[in-house]
Amino acid sequence: MRFTLPLLLTVGACAAANPPAMGGTCRSEALGQFIGRPASGQLGSDMLRVSGARIIRWVPLGGVVTMDFSPVRVTVQLDGANRVQSANCG
């Protein structure tokens, strides 16, 4: 129990010291080109690059997500074969 506070302070310091380096407000105009493509790390990087978003949220078929809106996030809905069904900012 004595290690709890130092651990929390260390974790908090790491989070504050490493903010996202790139990206900003998401733009959805170019995201349609990814519909039907299989999910992958490279695809995620490409989607972040063309949208300008900082964060990507993958949502598997039947997945549950919060309804909060984030202007720096792209949300990618996947189908049962892990292919992009839709991609939108927020």
Side-chain angles (χ1 to χ4, degrees):
M1 191 68 142
R2 292 190 332 193
F3 298 105
T4 304
L5 183 57
L7 179 60
L8 290 176
L9 292 175
T10 302
V11 171
C14 291
N18 297 314
M22 298 175 55
T25 303
C26 182
R27 296 174 312 280
S28 61
E29 296 84 20
L31 291 172
Q33 66 183 303
F34 300 108
I35 304 298
R37 292 184 49 193
S40 69
Q42 181 61 52
L43 181 69
S45 295
D46 292 345
M47 295 177 90
L48 288 173
R49 182 178 42 77
V50 302
S51 69
R54 280 195 317 238
I55 302 166
I56 190 162
R57 175 169 63 172
W58 300 99
V59 183
L61 181 64
V64 178
V65 295
T66 61
M67 296 301 295
D68 64 315
F69 179 82
S70 174
V72 298
R73 179 178 62 208
V74 60
T75 298
V76 182
Q77 297 279 340
L78 302 173
D79 65 12
N82 276 341
R83 293 185 178 277
V84 176
Q85 188 173 31
S86 67
N88 300 293
C89 293

